[in-house]
Amino acid sequence: FCHEKNNQNNNRTINKIIMKKPIKLISLFTIILILISIIGAGELHAQVKKGMYDKMKGGGIPDTQLSQKDNNYLDRQAAVFLDSVQSIISKFPPQIKEARERGMAKLLMDAVFHEHFAAFRKPAQQFFHFQANNVITELENTKVTKGAKIWKIYNMGFIVKTKTVTMAFDLVTGETSGSDDFKLNQKEIERLVAQCDVLFISHWHPDHADPRIAQEFLDLGRAVIAPDQVWKGKPIHSEILHMERIAHKTQKLQLQDHVLEVVVNPGHQMKSHINNVVLVTTPEGITIAHTGDQINEGDFMIDFEWIDEVYKHNKVDIMMPNAWTMDIFRQVKGFRPKLVMPGHELELGHTV
């Protein structure tokens, strides 16, 4: 159009037209978007009015913002995913060079457990109890003659078994998930604790410190070690052993049949939460480090003074850090373990 007009006046007219048209087009596009938004909002309002998104008007279970049909679909999907997970992880056990199939199984677990209502869905509950009972059965029937065998339970919960001793770290029921049907039941608690000699609790947060678990240990006459902040002011507090929190200092811990060497490094989760970072050496000479929720941030970085020096004082065989901590590479460099097994994944009381 421009090339067909050679007249100077026409060119000026054309320039005006070219400048005005985009403005008109943009205005028209904006009006269309506004109309779509109004129509969409009206439809959404109608859906809310009908009860589809309204928690008080007949939503489905467990997610009341979805219809029951949609909830049932998510349940079926979770069941298929978790059945596949069980099949894969039984065929491909943990190893240093992880099989690709096992990695894919963990992604399938994420797909189920990252959903907000996962703990309230029967397939997730059944999967958790099935796996927990597998662990219990293995503990009851496994005899370790050399080295250590490790079970990862839930969140930062680990059980380490050697020839002479079985130690539990941050063992919990899963109560923080909010679902009574998800968490370990009393029989499972009793069977699990019966296989352990000692419980180490890193700090007071309920996804690390569970009074039902701790009380079961105490009722069996077994030691529970925790920071002074854990359940302070409650009767159970006086039954718990509060070891000295001094970096690199080795202390003796007498159990029923054996003596452990324990270092309780004075860790923190931010400034306000005391967090025990324990190094436990078994009678066989195997040293296990469990870091709980150890993290320093911002201008509070004092714990790196001792973290950077751990390897100079102790030979660490197995380190169990939380996966999300700040500068995990620096922590590992300070401990220099032979094996790192991160934890604190898929805790269902946390948002993702």
Side-chain angles (χ1 to χ4, degrees):
F1 179 67
C2 291
H3 292 293
E4 292 175 359
K5 303 293 181 181
N6 296 318
N7 185 278
Q8 189 174 6
N9 291 332
N10 285 342
N11 284 342
R12 283 197 294 269
T13 303
I14 291 164
N15 288 337
K16 289 179 182 178
I17 292 170
I18 290 171
M19 291 298 294
K20 287 179 180 179
K21 278 188 176 180
I23 296 172
K24 290 179 180 178
L25 287 172
I26 291 170
S27 300
L28 180 60
F29 184 70
T30 304
I31 291 169
I32 292 171
L33 284 178
I34 291 171
L35 287 172
I36 291 172
S37 299
I38 291 171
I39 293 169
E43 289 178 353
L44 179 61
H45 178 72
Q47 289 172 342
V48 171
K49 205 169 182 181
K50 290 176 183 177
M52 185 177 291
Y53 294 89
D54 192 337
K55 294 182 180 182
M56 301 302 292
K57 295 184 179 179
I61 296 172
D63 187 349
T64 56
Q65 291 186 335
L66 298 177
S67 68
Q68 191 58 53
K69 182 178 179 180
D70 289 337
N71 273 285
N72 292 343
Y73 171 82
L74 289 178
D75 285 343
R76 293 195 303 273
Q77 177 178 267
V80 171
F81 283 4
L82 294 176
D83 282 348
S84 298
V85 169
Q86 286 177 338
S87 176
I88 293 168
I89 63 177
S90 63
K91 186 176 180 181
F92 298 94
Q95 56 188 25
I96 297 297
K97 189 175 180 181
E98 184 175 77
R100 179 180 176 84
E101 291 86 348
R102 188 175 178 87
M104 296 301 292
K106 291 193 289 187
L107 292 176
L108 282 177
M109 286 178 63
D110 284 349
V112 174
F113 289 108
H114 283 187
E115 194 250 332
H116 182 72
F117 292 93
F120 298 89
R121 298 195 181 280
K122 286 196 178 299
Q125 295 165 359
Q126 291 167 352
F127 177 83
F128 179 62
H129 288 280
F130 179 83
Q131 294 301 122
N133 279 277
N134 276 351
V135 168
I136 295 168
T137 300
E138 285 187 15
L139 280 165
E140 292 171 339
N141 294 285
T142 298
K143 289 185 178 181
V144 178
T145 57
K146 183 180 179 182
K149 187 161 185 176
I150 306 167
W151 290 266
K152 190 173 178 179
I153 311 299
Y154 177 73
N155 192 36
M156 275 299 286
F158 290 87
I159 294 177
V160 182
K161 186 172 187 175
T162 70
K163 183 178 180 179
T164 59
V165 66
T166 303
M167 301 158 288
F169 300 86
D170 283 5
L171 191 61
V172 296
T173 61
E175 186 169 8
T176 50
S177 68
S179 169
D180 287 339
D181 292 323
F182 180 85
K183 67 183 182 183
L184 298 177
N185 59 46
Q186 185 59 36
K187 184 178 179 180
E188 290 166 338
I189 293 170
E190 291 172 0
R191 289 179 64 201
L192 194 58
V193 173
Q195 298 304 312
C196 302
D197 299 303
V198 59
L199 171 65
F200 293 92
I201 298 173
S202 62
H203 64 296
W204 68 268
H205 285 163
D207 58 319
H208 297 257
D210 192 311
R212 288 182 66 191
I213 294 282
Q215 192 60 61
E216 189 67 28
F217 271 86
L218 295 170
D219 289 346
L220 293 176
R222 294 172 187 177
V224 176
I225 294 87
D228 187 58
Q229 283 185 343
V230 176
W231 304 311
K232 195 162 189 175
K234 296 184 179 180
I236 194 174
H237 183 270
S238 62
E239 300 181 68
I240 294 172
L241 180 60
H242 307 105
M243 301 182 76
E244 289 185 290
R245 287 169 37 87
I246 302 175
H248 316 307
K249 179 181 178 180
T250 300
Q251 306 170 65
K252 301 289 186 181
L253 176 60
Q254 179 66 58
L255 303 182
Q256 291 177 339
D257 298 318
H258 300 284
V259 176
L260 301 178
E261 293 184 352
V262 180
V263 176
V264 183
N265 289 301
H268 300 81
Q269 183 181 3
M270 315 302 187
K271 290 182 180 179
S272 56
H273 305 316
I274 290 173
N275 179 81
N276 282 359
V277 177
V278 294
L279 275 66
V280 185
T281 302
T282 70
E284 298 88 356
I286 299 170
T287 299
I288 298 101
H290 184 277
T291 71
D293 272 355
Q294 174 61 35
I295 185 171
N296 288 176
E297 281 190 334
D299 60 351
F300 185 77
M301 305 290 283
I302 62 170
D303 290 338
F304 281 106
E305 294 178 8
W306 59 262
I307 289 173
D308 292 339
E309 303 287 320
V310 169
Y311 75 96
K312 296 180 180 180
H313 301 269
N314 294 92
K315 174 186 68 66
V316 178
D317 295 294
I318 304 160
M319 181 184 183
M320 300 175 289
N322 66 75
W324 51 262
T325 189
M326 178 183 178
D327 206 344
I328 192 170
F329 295 107
R330 184 174 176 182
Q331 287 193 23
V332 171
K333 186 178 179 181
F335 283 73
R336 300 192 185 180
K338 295 178 182 177
L339 176 68
V340 177
M341 294 188 64
H344 217 304
E345 306 101 339
L346 299 183
E347 200 291 309
L348 301 187
H350 286 73
T351 56
V352 177

